[in-house]
Amino acid sequence: MKKTFIFMAIIMVLKTFSDDFQFYSPNNHGSIGLINIPSARFHSAPSGILSFYRGFPDRKATLTLYPYDWLEASVFYASFKDRPYGNSFSQDYKDKGFNFKVRIKDQKTWPAIALGANDIGGTGLYSSEYVVSSYQRDNYDLHIGIGWGRMNHHNHFENPFIIFGNNFRDRDNEIGAGGELNLNNFFSGDGVSLFAGANFKFLSKYEFKIEYDPTQTPGEIKFKERKSDFNFGLNYAFKNYIFGLNLERGSNISINFSYTDNFQKKENDYVKIRNFSNSKYKNLINSLESNNIGVSRLEKNQEELSLSISQYIHSLKNLNKIIEKSVEEAQITEEVLVSYKVAGLHISKNKEIENSTLLFKNRYRGLRQNFSLNLKPFIAAREDFIKAALLLEHDAEFIFSENLFLSTNIKLSVADNFDDLIYPPVNVYPAQVRSDIKKYLNNIGDKPSIGRMQLEYFKTLSENNHILFSGGIYEDMFSGYGFEYLNFDMNRNLNWGFEAQEVYKRDYDFGFGLLGYNNITYHFNLFFQNREFIPFDLKVSYGEYLAGDVGTTFEIKRSFAKGVEIGAFASFTNVSYEDFGEGSFDKGIFFKIPIGKNRRLSNFIWRPLTKDPASKLVKKNNIYDLVNKYSRFTP
């Protein structure tokens, strides 16, 4: 075995001129790697992997996201056969947690290097840290690394971090309650174990994997008897899908399936119009509207053309490119002055042109609607690993004027198993605003349900000052009314605002009825955009939440062109860790990605636990997300 490691180490320091990485399949933890061990490989941002693993005794679903080319972040749910859930619930044990991996260096002349950790903030059943190096040449990719925690079965060497202090010698291997970061365990323990492996791609769609895996099989989980430290796997890839079959530890057959996609697909920034009219101004309007840019007003004098546009899709950079191209194609010779608007809000207004002639004024009226089939999952309930509904949804927007809208969402369950959700929540504090979600899900299949019926009125009070009044059925669980104010300058990377709503808890039947609970929720919001070194968007929000607790939410995300977002949030309120219960504080991830053939943007929010504290109202729109399309700091 020592000779094998020495041989692989020598191979990994050889120079190569190749930088063609072909090995991007996830391991059983959802991280790009082999079978159990990780590699130093990453997908380019913004990508994602949805992977499923079925072995014995564990089965797992993992969502992996790449907000940066150098960062891999995963959330997982796991279920374990033959380990009871506890508290007299007749089902298998459930676990959830986070994984991450960071690239230290890419493969150039020398191998790639990464470090990572599994099951941070979870119970610790998979808790481990590692440093791994990968070297690829032709159809081979070789990997070698050292692991701590659950990846240290053999103690091949003393922990190298002990030289920084004896506190790295101690590691708590007890199974925790979950939800808390045990940073004291990071890269700690008496020893570390070596791991290694290789994958080989052949016949273009097949991949063979072999690894030396020092992962512990702890007694808390009833793994089959370990007969070998070597694992073998065979993958078949088809487009974005990968199917895998593995032999683990010489005694366990497992299968995995994954879907991978890069959300930032190349799309045309300009759609050329072929059938022009005799009027160059009509041609300009047609060209802009064909590129999803609405023209609200067009007027001119002999030297200038004043153009007022409104749109929801393009960033400022792409928007200006499309306008320039449309002006060129329409053969406009006047100087074009552009005013930017969205939902009737004036983001940037041009000077008044003298002696102008009005050529066009849009009268905003109409109806936009869409039918879709959507899957609504409910994962890791105490009743079962996954519950779900297939919903037929109708979304409509009634446009009464440029700045007055009525948005509706009606849904009907085609099939669901939510009636099986029967166990009440463990903690209800300080008011039951979210933890009774099962009562709503129980009623989702009985009849058509109203998910939203919300009226919105937008108004620009003065330069940089915007307000939104809204009211109606905001979401599945709350109705109400309120307002939002935003101070926004498109040339500023720091903006701020305030919002307040009086909310009423909806009845469980998704109709117009209300329960007895109501509250006034408010938040002061600060928005910051950074595009230097590591680009990110930060939102800090302080105020009172739905349940009456007061605190702060920190939200950080990476934004991409065409509206793609990947981010995470954490909220800390005056509810103590003890009163909050499992999880200690509210946190989760969110992402906005294009779905389907038409690449329609869809929002997803994932939090490991449904708790009452730190709960916010879910609204269709907020002013910042609408006007931020015009920020000079948006990609």
Side-chain angles (χ1 to χ4, degrees):
M1 182 59 64
K2 290 182 179 179
K3 291 181 179 179
T4 301
F5 281 123
I6 293 172
F7 174 72
M8 294 189 69
I10 293 173
I11 290 178
M12 293 189 64
V13 299
L14 292 178
K15 294 185 178 181
T16 177
F17 296 99
S18 172
D19 195 26
D20 179 20
F21 304 137
Q22 305 177 53
F23 307 95
Y24 285 83
S25 59
N27 63 13
N28 296 339
H29 301 285
S31 175
I32 294 177
L34 296 181
I35 301 164
N36 271 316
I37 73 169
S39 71
R41 302 303 185 208
F42 293 76
H43 282 302
S44 58
S47 296
I49 305 173
L50 182 61
S51 58
F52 300 91
Y53 165 78
R54 184 65 181 261
F56 184 87
D58 52 343
R59 49 181 175 154
K60 189 186 302 181
T62 307
L63 173 66
T64 305
L65 298 171
Y66 297 85
Y68 299 93
D69 294 344
W70 48 266
L71 175 62
E72 175 188 88
S74 306
V75 293
F76 70 84
Y77 279 108
S79 179
F80 301 88
K81 297 290 291 183
D82 296 337
R83 178 184 170 130
Y85 189 93
N87 297 323
S88 303
F89 293 111
S90 57
Q91 59 166 304
D92 296 327
Y93 184 77
K94 305 293 188 298
D95 190 25
K96 50 191 170 292
F98 298 84
N99 312 320
F100 77 86
K101 183 171 68 177
V102 177
R103 174 187 287 155
I104 303 301
K105 71 173 293 292
D106 204 347
Q107 179 175 332
K108 299 296 184 182
T109 303
W110 303 98
I113 301 174
L115 65 82
N118 294 327
D119 201 6
I120 60 172
T123 58
L125 287 171
Y126 297 105
S127 178
S128 55
E129 302 83 49
Y130 57 85
V131 176
V132 61
S133 182
S134 297
Y135 173 87
Q136 182 264 332
R137 187 167 185 173
D138 299 327
N139 287 349
Y140 294 89
D141 207 8
L142 307 176
H143 318 279
I144 189 169
I146 55 175
W148 288 256
R150 298 298 181 190
M151 294 184 70
N152 174 32
H153 184 66
H154 297 297
N155 278 320
H156 288 126
F157 302 105
E158 184 180 61
N159 181 1
F161 284 102
I162 291 176
I163 64 174
F164 299 110
N166 280 327
N167 55 318
F168 280 99
R169 191 180 297 276
D170 300 323
R171 187 182 188 97
D172 182 8
N173 287 318
E174 293 296 320
I175 302 301
E180 296 185 21
L181 295 175
N182 189 357
L183 299 180
N184 292 329
N185 270 354
F186 270 32
F187 298 96
S188 297
D190 285 331
V192 296
S193 290
L194 284 168
F195 61 82
N199 43 339
F200 169 66
K201 189 174 182 179
F202 62 100
L203 298 179
S204 76
K205 294 183 179 180
Y206 292 90
E207 181 184 8
F208 176 73
K209 299 181 176 184
I210 181 173
E211 66 180 21
Y212 174 74
D213 175 24
T215 301
Q216 293 183 23
T217 53
E220 297 89 349
I221 307 173
K222 296 181 180 179
F223 286 95
K224 293 180 180 179
E225 181 183 358
R226 187 189 198 99
K227 296 182 179 180
S228 172
D229 288 334
F230 286 90
N231 302 327
F232 303 90
L234 180 65
N235 283 357
Y236 171 75
F238 174 71
K239 294 184 178 179
N240 296 54
Y241 304 91
I242 297 177
F243 304 85
L245 178 66
N246 309 307
L247 174 63
E248 300 182 55
R249 301 179 294 278
S251 59
N252 183 47
I253 300 293
S254 64
I255 57 174
N256 50 43
F257 165 77
S258 66
Y259 173 81
T260 305
D261 197 6
N262 186 292
F263 310 128
Q264 193 67 18
K265 292 190 174 179
K266 179 65 178 175
E267 298 176 14
N268 292 328
D269 292 328
Y270 175 74
V271 177
K272 186 174 181 179
I273 306 303
R274 299 182 182 277
N275 298 320
F276 280 2
S277 72
N278 294 326
S279 167
K280 61 181 180 180
Y281 306 112
K282 180 64 174 175
N283 291 339
L284 175 62
I285 294 171
N286 289 341
S287 178
L288 292 172
E289 290 184 345
S290 297
N291 286 276
N292 297 304
I293 300 170
V295 177
S296 55
R297 188 179 181 91
L298 186 65
E299 54 187 316
K300 71 175 288 293
N301 58 22
Q302 282 206 289
E303 298 178 349
E304 297 169 313
L305 184 70
S306 179
L307 173 66
S308 180
I309 61 101
S310 182
Q311 61 93 29
Y312 298 84
I313 298 175
H314 307 286
S315 66
L316 182 64
K317 181 179 179 181
N318 287 339
L319 175 64
N320 288 333
K321 286 182 179 179
I322 295 172
I323 293 174
E324 289 175 8
K325 188 68 174 177
S326 299
V327 168
E328 178 186 338
E329 293 287 345
Q331 299 181 358
I332 301 294
T333 56
E334 298 92 342
E335 180 185 1
V336 179
L337 308 174
V338 182
S339 294
Y340 304 111
K341 300 174 72 176
V342 60
L345 302 174
H346 296 273
I347 312 305
S348 176
K349 193 173 182 180
N350 277 324
K351 66 177 183 179
E352 298 286 339
I353 63 173
E354 298 179 355
N355 303 318
S356 63
T357 301
L358 181 64
L359 300 178
F360 176 80
K361 183 178 180 180
N362 197 339
R363 298 183 180 275
Y364 287 89
R365 292 280 194 279
L367 168 66
R368 289 196 291 257
Q369 59 180 330
N370 175 65
F371 285 93
S372 59
L373 274 174
N374 298 310
L375 182 68
K376 183 179 182 65
F378 192 69
I379 302 175
R382 284 176 291 162
E383 292 81 1
D384 204 350
F385 184 56
I386 184 168
K387 299 292 184 181
L390 182 64
L391 302 177
L392 175 63
E393 299 194 47
H394 175 259
D395 291 286
E397 188 173 60
F398 300 86
I399 305 169
F400 301 114
S401 67
E402 185 180 17
N403 54 357
L404 181 62
F405 310 89
L406 176 65
S407 302
T408 63
N409 169 264
I410 308 296
K411 48 197 168 192
L412 177 65
S413 174
V414 177
D416 70 82
N417 56 357
F418 287 154
D419 289 340
D420 300 334
L421 298 172
I422 57 174
Y423 298 129
V426 176
N427 300 97
V428 178
Y429 185 92
Q432 194 168 30
V433 294
R434 294 297 187 198
S435 58
D436 56 349
I437 185 174
K438 292 180 182 179
K439 293 184 179 180
Y440 288 92
L441 296 177
N442 288 157
N443 291 302
I444 207 167
D446 297 343
K447 60 182 180 181
S449 303
I450 302 174
R452 183 189 309 111
M453 192 168 289
Q454 176 182 340
L455 188 67
E456 296 173 302
Y457 176 73
F458 299 86
K459 181 69 175 177
T460 295
L461 303 176
S462 61
E463 185 179 6
N464 301 335
N465 294 283
H466 314 288
I467 196 165
L468 161 63
F469 296 99
S470 60
I473 298 175
Y474 282 113
E475 45 148 296
D476 288 349
M477 303 176 77
F478 279 93
S479 297
Y481 62 92
F483 77 95
E484 177 188 356
Y485 164 79
L486 178 69
N487 184 279
F488 176 85
D489 187 334
M490 64 188 296
N491 299 306
R492 206 169 60 194
N493 62 353
L494 181 64
N495 295 282
W496 61 277
F498 175 79
E499 60 183 307
Q501 291 86 23
E502 183 165 11
V503 295
Y504 299 85
K505 191 74 184 296
R506 292 183 63 191
D507 203 349
Y508 297 125
D509 64 358
F510 289 99
F512 294 99
L514 301 173
L515 300 176
Y517 181 80
N518 72 291
N519 188 30
I520 294 178
T521 176
Y522 62 88
H523 282 88
F524 297 91
N525 301 314
L526 189 68
F527 307 91
F528 176 74
Q529 293 178 294
N530 178 67
R531 292 295 171 260
E532 303 297 330
F533 187 48
I534 300 177
F536 66 88
D537 298 291
L538 175 67
K539 177 182 178 182
V540 181
S541 180
Y542 171 82
E544 182 171 328
Y545 297 82
L546 292 174
D549 50 324
V550 177
T552 305
T553 295
F554 299 89
E555 177 184 298
I556 188 167
K557 67 182 179 182
R558 173 81 189 278
S559 299
F560 300 86
K562 300 181 176 66
V564 176
E565 297 176 352
I566 300 175
F569 66 89
S571 299
F572 305 90
T573 77
N574 58 353
V575 176
S576 67
Y577 282 11
E578 292 76 15
D579 288 331
F580 189 93
E582 181 186 354
S584 303
F585 62 94
D586 188 49
K587 65 272 190 184
I589 65 170
F590 61 91
F591 50 100
K592 183 186 291 184
I593 59 174
I595 296 293
K597 187 176 181 180
N598 62 358
R599 311 296 288 172
R600 178 172 60 92
L601 288 172
S602 297
N603 290 293
F604 297 87
I605 298 177
W606 179 91
R607 44 173 42 94
L609 296 166
T610 301
K611 294 280 191 170
D612 296 310
S615 295
K616 281 189 169 186
L617 183 68
V618 179
K619 301 184 295 180
K620 181 185 179 185
N621 291 312
N622 65 76
I623 304 177
Y624 183 77
D625 284 347
L626 291 174
V627 303
N628 191 45
K629 292 287 184 184
Y630 296 102
S631 171
R632 298 192 184 278
F633 300 93
T634 300

